Amino acid sequence: MSKKIVISGVGLWTPEHVITNDELVASYNSYADKYNEEFAEQIAAGKKDAKPHSSAAFIEKASGIKQRFIYQKEGALDISRMRPVIPERGDEELSQQAEIALAAATKALSDANKQPEDIDAVIVACAYTQRAYPAIAIEVQERLGIKGFGFDMLVACSAATFGMHRAYEMVAAGTARAVLVINPELVSPQVNYTDRDSHFIFGDVATATVIESQETVASDEVFEILSTKAVTQFSNNIRSNFGYMSRAHDADPYSADKLFHQAGRKVFKEVCPMAANHLEEHLASHGLTPTDVRRWWLHQANINMNLLIGKKLLGREATADEAPVVLDQYANTASAGSVIALALHHKDLVAGDVGVLCSFGAGYSIGSLVIRRC
Ligand code: CO8
């Protein structure tokens, strides 16, 4: 490709509220005790399963997560509610997801030294949008005063990288001069805080990137995108059945299967080799090997997954400098994890350094970008 396409800006918005593992576990365990007391007879008769206790030590060992940020803490730890309180806003008010998208987007624009008139398209790429239409991207576009077009796209944990792929292609094709890709991951409303297997996994965040041609760049810290690579393979091992069909099929629209649920062990076993092979092939397409990579901004779901992928690629554990970890503080933030890692850990790279941005998750889906510091 003759035209060089670059990431010229990155933005990160972090919620002000934190839930530590200890707080989360204390709330869940009280909920479990109350549940077991309330349903003691049915549990004794084998009609219901007792809820086992959760443990902060298990969570940190099994996942590496120490805490998570949350958009609205109220309600999530209240054992009579176990979900955040996020009041509905009127049609004329800014939606919550657009609000956090804007916060990350303005940072990315400022990092790229861009004005709204420099941007031709807005992509909101994330695991969920809070409504079907009008698109969150169009709401953000209107607030920022961007001309052109915007659209939302959902690819679960790979939404951010898949969105950046689309931006790259649009700039390469000349259909947009510059694209703002935003990942407002407001996932806490979909977390089942009454399920010990998954209550600890997720946190809220928003990230954004600006992708444009090198010809129009106005910032100093720029990464050329050498190429993008995506793969998907159907799996039911990570699933949420929540959707607009609930109104028609008369099932409980809030039952456990309508929230995030997974077969975590299977995901671990199947996705790690897929991701390692994917990355090796992507690098090989540039005549590169994993040892040529200065930094891995890997998907942030589970520290043990990243350690295993690092070992498969490098034959040894990657250092924290090579593959920075943010999931200890942020937890799994759906598609935004690798972009958080990029936002927090890119300033020390020098011209010519090669990096890999990669996400993987539900679908299954894997997306990667091989980039080089200009
Ligand atoms: N406390 C104490 N014990 C626990 C807990 C807990 N909180 N949870 C589970 N246990 C128990 C289990 O019940 C089990 O007990 P037993 O052996 O008696 O059956 C034992 O601990 C071991 O359980 P697991 O086998 O499940 O434990 P693992 O060591 O495999 O760790 C993990 C569980 C951390 C979930 C791990 O399997 C993992 O991370 N797998 C990868 C999952 C992953 O990356 N998924 C990606 C999902 S995200 C995504 O794709 C985006 C979706 C869209 C966003 C959704 C937003 C809401």
Side-chain angles (χ1 to χ4, degrees), residues 155 158 160-166 168-169 225-232 273-286 356-360 365-371:
V155 201
S158 298
T161 51
F162 277 47
M164 293 168 86
H165 293 183
R166 301 289 78 74
Y168 169 83
E169 286 159 0
I225 302 172
L226 301 185
S227 72
T228 65
K229 183 174 167 71
V231 66
T232 51
M274 253 179 95
N277 291 342
H278 176 94
L279 289 171
E280 212 152 29
E281 282 174 21
H282 194 177
L283 287 166
S285 71
H286 294 282
V356 172
L357 188 80
C358 177
S359 53
F360 38 82
S365 57
I366 302 180
S368 56
L369 292 87
V370 177
I371 63 180

Side-chain angles (χ1 to χ4, degrees), residues 7 36 103 113 146 158 203 217 249 320:
I7 301 171
N36 293 341
N113 203 10
I146 291 173
S158 298
V217 158
H249 54 42

Side-chain angles (χ1 to χ4, degrees), residues 35-299:
Y35 177 97
N36 293 341
E37 209 177 287
E38 193 176 331
F39 296 105
E41 268 179 37
Q42 282 145 291
I43 292 167
K47 290 183 182 153
K48 271 188 190 288
D49 290 330
K51 287 213 176 260
H53 271 192
S54 183
S55 123
F58 170 87
I59 293 169
E60 193 171 339
K61 187 165 177 286
S63 70
I65 296 165
K66 295 178 180 161
Q67 62 162 47
R68 68 283 300 136
F69 292 94
I70 187 164
Y71 176 74
Q72 184 51 262
K73 191 167 179 176
E74 190 191 343
L77 302 179
D78 172 353
I79 66 166
S80 63
R81 180 174 171 92
M82 302 301 270
R83 56 205 156 89
V85 178
I86 304 178
E88 191 174 36
R89 289 184 180 169
D91 288 359
E92 303 311 318
E93 292 178 278
L94 184 67
S95 65
Q96 287 92 351
Q97 213 171 6
E99 171 195 310
I100 68 171
L102 276 165
T106 41
K107 289 183 180 183
L109 287 173
S110 147
D111 192 43
N113 203 10
K114 291 277 141 184
Q115 300 302 318
E117 55 268 29
D118 302 321
I119 306 292
D120 287 336
V122 179
I123 302 175
V124 162
C126 51
Y128 305 92
T129 51
Q130 71 178 83
R131 61 168 184 265
Y133 48 83
I136 305 295
I138 304 176
E139 190 180 1
V140 171
Q141 177 198 357
E142 195 262 343
R143 285 285 171 144
L144 287 173
I146 291 173
K147 295 204 172 63
F149 62 96
F151 61 88
D152 296 347
M153 54 180 281
L154 309 183
V155 201
C157 281
S158 298
T161 51
F162 277 47
M164 293 168 86
H165 293 183
R166 301 289 78 74
Y168 169 83
E169 286 159 0
M170 282 153 59
V171 176
T175 50
R177 289 168 303 156
V179 183
L180 182 58
V181 184
I182 320 172
N183 324 108
E185 293 292 10
L186 183 49
V187 296
S188 53
Q190 256 276 311
V191 175
N192 185 351
Y193 291 102
T194 71
D195 170 37
R196 82 162 181 168
D197 288 353
S198 61
H199 74 132
F200 59 89
I201 297 179
F202 294 100
D204 298 325
V205 83
T207 54
T209 45
V210 174
I211 293 180
E212 60 179 311
S213 160
Q214 196 174 31
E215 292 156 16
T216 56
V217 158
S219 80
D220 303 332
E221 277 166 0
V222 171
F223 287 87
E224 181 188 359
I225 302 172
L226 301 185
S227 72
T228 65
K229 183 174 167 71
V231 66
T232 51
Q233 182 183 303
F234 187 72
S235 168
N236 274 320
N237 289 333
I238 313 169
R239 196 168 169 118
S240 164
N241 290 326
F242 185 77
Y244 79 103
M245 293 289 279
S246 292
R247 183 162 180 262
H249 54 42
D250 293 330
D252 173 3
Y254 306 115
S255 59
D257 78 296
K258 306 297 185 304
L259 302 175
F260 167 88
H261 57 286
Q262 69 168 351
R265 274 275 161 98
K266 285 190 188 160
V267 175
F268 198 112
K269 277 200 188 127
E270 291 170 10
V271 171
C272 288
M274 253 179 95
N277 291 342
H278 176 94
L279 289 171
E280 212 152 29
E281 282 174 21
H282 194 177
L283 287 166
S285 71
H286 294 282
L288 296 168
T289 65
T291 51
D292 296 319
V293 175
R294 170 68 186 87
R295 183 143 300 152
W296 304 86
W297 297 285
L298 290 179
H299 184 55

